[in-house]
Amino acid sequence: MNEKDLILIKTLYEEQNITHTSKRLYISQPAISDRLKKLEDELNCSLIIRQPRGILFTSAGESLYNYACQHLIDYSKLKQAIQLKKYLTTGTLKIGCSNIFSRYKMPLLLSEFITLYPNININMCSGYSHDRYKDFLKGATQICIVRGEHMWKEKKILLFKDPLCLIAKQPINIKNLPNLPYIHYLTDPLLQTVLDDWWYSNFKEHPKTIIEVDSIETTLKLVQQNLGFTLLSQICTTDTPELFYLPLKDPSGKIIKRNTWLFYRNNYIHFTVTKAFIDFITKKFNS
């Protein structure tokens, strides 16, 4: 049974005549009779009784007519709601975001986005980039904003490139780093590999690690107290402009930068909330 069957039943009841129904729906009388027979077989009951001047609905036919009327009303409302949603952007947007982006970029961005789209509910989870990327691959989020390089083959936007820096209370000579106390921020494995490559391309000694912490804020507070130096992205100095920072360079003298990416799926165009956020972010970072 489908929508056409329900329209047929509704029209038959209103006309009480197969000939008139045939003319109204532009369906041949044999086709109507055939469809009625199939419906009766499907429901295992008689729906109409033929009379000399029309038809009479049985009790089962009456029940099917009432069902058809309600279903067609509900279906019409559903189509209207779907059409309305094309113009009203509503729903829930699930975002996975790196710690650094969520701290230094996301608050202002989300504030502006929610002002533009008050009917969108935001569900955001921050953390290490490799963890948020795994969640995204599993389908837990619609948007993934991560740092570093990942093997994503669908849609992506490069948001910005951020220099990796030596950060200290006061200017220091980079050649003296192996002899100075190091405050190690426990970052994600991808960034740690980059930092390790830089360190051991410049020094034979291990860093003189005195403190290990998993909080950027704590790391910077320790540096502010002149307890040691650290290695972080330049964006982390946003709230501590008084600190000394020096971009790290590779053996060729090129500043080492870390990319921040926004990943999303090819089918994003079918989800209004995702498309709205993609369009918003694209405009903000391309302006």
Side-chain angles (χ1 to χ4, degrees), residues 23-279:
K23 292 179 180 179
R24 184 170 160 183
L25 296 180
Y26 301 99
I27 303 173
S28 69
Q29 292 184 45
I32 292 176
S33 297
D34 180 62
R35 193 58 209 159
L36 280 172
K37 179 64 170 60
K38 290 181 179 178
L39 285 173
E40 289 177 331
D41 291 342
E42 181 180 336
L43 298 173
N44 193 28
C45 66
S46 296
L47 297 175
I48 66 168
I49 297 175
R50 287 174 171 79
Q51 300 187 110
R53 293 188 177 181
I55 59 173
L56 180 67
F57 270 65
T58 64
S59 295
E62 291 267 1
S63 296
L64 182 57
Y65 164 73
N66 292 330
Y67 170 82
C69 289
Q70 187 59 53
H71 180 85
L72 291 172
I73 290 172
D74 292 342
Y75 187 62
S76 178
K77 289 180 179 178
L78 175 62
K79 289 197 294 185
Q80 290 176 8
I82 291 173
Q83 290 301 313
L84 184 61
K85 281 193 173 183
K86 291 182 179 180
Y87 304 99
L88 294 178
T89 306
T90 62
T92 299
L93 179 63
K94 296 181 179 181
I95 305 172
C97 187
S98 74
N99 283 324
I100 287 180
F101 194 90
S102 66
R103 175 179 174 82
Y104 295 104
K105 295 289 186 180
M106 208 49 138
L108 181 58
L109 289 171
L110 284 184
S111 177
E112 292 183 23
F113 182 71
I114 291 173
T115 300
L116 289 173
Y117 300 97
N119 294 318
I120 293 181
N121 298 316
I122 300 296
N123 185 332
M124 189 184 85
C125 181
S126 64
Y128 290 134
S129 289
H130 69 284
D131 289 333
R132 298 290 72 84
Y133 182 62
K134 288 179 182 177
D135 290 343
F136 178 65
L137 292 179
K138 294 176 183 176
T141 54
Q142 300 143 286
I143 299 291
C144 180
I145 301 176
V146 289
R147 293 161 61 79
E149 303 309 309
H150 305 266
M151 299 298 291
W152 181 244
K153 296 182 179 180
E154 294 189 36
K155 301 285 188 179
K156 60 183 178 180
I157 301 171
L158 177 60
L159 300 180
F160 61 92
K161 298 182 178 183
D162 190 27
L164 299 179
C165 294
L166 156 68
I167 301 174
K169 173 72 172 179
Q170 300 171 342
I172 56 178
N173 189 328
I174 201 168
K175 295 181 180 180
N176 295 331
L177 290 187
N179 302 317
L180 299 177
Y182 173 47
I183 301 169
H184 180 202
Y185 168 60
L186 297 172
T187 184
D188 70 81
L190 293 175
L191 176 56
Q192 190 59 57
T193 298
V194 174
L195 294 176
D196 288 344
D197 287 346
W198 174 82
W199 182 273
Y200 291 109
S201 68
N202 286 276
F203 310 108
K204 294 181 180 179
E205 307 92 332
H206 297 309
K208 189 179 178 181
T209 303
I210 61 166
I211 303 174
E212 290 188 334
V213 291
D214 60 0
S215 164
I216 295 173
E217 183 177 4
T218 302
T219 302
L220 292 173
K221 285 187 178 298
L222 292 169
V223 172
Q224 285 176 310
Q225 295 303 314
N226 203 25
L227 295 174
F229 74 92
T230 192
L231 301 175
L232 289 172
S233 298
Q234 184 175 323
I235 193 174
C236 297
T237 64
T238 301
D239 299 329
T240 54
E242 76 281 2
L243 292 179
F244 167 80
Y245 66 88
L246 181 69
L248 306 182
K249 297 181 180 180
D250 65 19
S252 68
K254 185 178 179 181
I255 293 176
I256 302 173
K257 296 181 179 181
R258 198 175 193 210
N259 295 336
T260 296
W261 295 94
L262 186 152
F263 296 151
Y264 57 107
R265 292 176 171 80
N266 291 333
N267 63 0
Y268 83 102
I269 195 72
H270 300 298
F271 302 94
T272 56
V273 294
T274 307
K275 185 178 184 304
F277 189 77
I278 295 299
D279 293 343

